[in-house]
Amino acid sequence: MSSLVKCKACDNDLAKGVKKCPQCGKDQRNWFMRHKIMTFLGVLLVLIIISSLGGGNGTDTDETAVANEQTKANEGKKEEIIYSVGDTINIKQLDITLTQVEELTQIGDPQFLGKKAPEGSVLVAVQYTMKNVSDKPVGMFSYPTVNLVDGNETKYSSDFDGSVAYSVETGIDDSKAVSDLNPDISVTKVEVYEVSETRFAEGDWYIQVGKEKIKVK
């Protein structure tokens, strides 16, 4: 068996084990022998990856990740507050207080600006005060939306005819609905909602002002 090998660069005959060709100076060692430190680090990295992949079935890690995500979700979720009639809610520049809720079948004289509930329904009439607690006038387009909401989050818009009839019947001036509300001025507003009598008799009902809820039944 020959004890000679060819130089990788100039084909000069070399003895086995020679690190450098004496003729051209080419290093005869392979890449791994020339870069021992990098080779060691590469092998170490591969071992770490294999150990991580093979160490356990990942259940604990998955459960921990799920728990962390749930914790973040709970921290970011604001606890819902349900208010009662008479409580004051602050919506940006306004303090709003629901003062009265009535369940009616008729408002005033239906022949003269009155309102009669259609068969099988009731009229839910509410009164609330709205005060500007800022130092600037608040325009009508900044007034919060006020809806009647059932336990299934179904929203009911107010009935225009019923609201006008209730305003006339109670003598409440609702003219601020279309004008600015100046600083420190408080007004009383009314809304009437037409609802199925059967539905209203069941479950919970709320007045929702913006995103806040006031339990009325």
Side-chain angles (χ1 to χ4, degrees), residues 13-70:
D13 290 331
L14 302 173
K16 285 185 178 179
V18 174
K19 295 181 180 180
K20 185 180 292 186
C21 176
Q23 180 169 303
C24 67
K26 174 69 175 178
D27 195 327
Q28 302 300 304
R29 295 174 298 172
N30 60 32
W31 189 92
F32 297 102
M33 293 302 295
R34 295 198 308 271
H35 304 86
K36 292 182 179 180
I37 295 178
M38 293 184 66
T39 299
F40 172 75
L41 293 177
V43 172
L44 183 61
L45 178 61
V46 171
L47 292 176
I48 292 174
I49 293 174
I50 294 175
S51 176
S52 299
L53 294 176
N57 56 15
T59 301
D60 292 341
T61 301
D62 292 343
E63 291 179 352
T64 301
V66 171
N68 289 338
E69 289 298 324
Q70 186 62 45

Side-chain angles (χ1 to χ4, degrees), residues 185-211:
I185 299 298
S186 179
V187 295
T188 299
K189 295 177 62 63
V190 298
E191 303 284 356
V192 172
Y193 305 89
E194 193 175 285
V195 185
S196 162
E197 184 176 10
T198 302
R199 283 178 175 267
F200 194 68
E202 301 172 349
D204 297 326
W205 288 82
Y206 309 86
I207 289 295
Q208 183 168 325
V209 184
K211 295 182 179 181

Side-chain angles (χ1 to χ4, degrees), residues 125-137:
V126 302
Q127 298 181 32
Y128 60 95
T129 61
M130 185 169 64
K131 181 178 181 179
N132 182 354
V133 293
S134 73
D135 58 359
K136 297 180 180 179

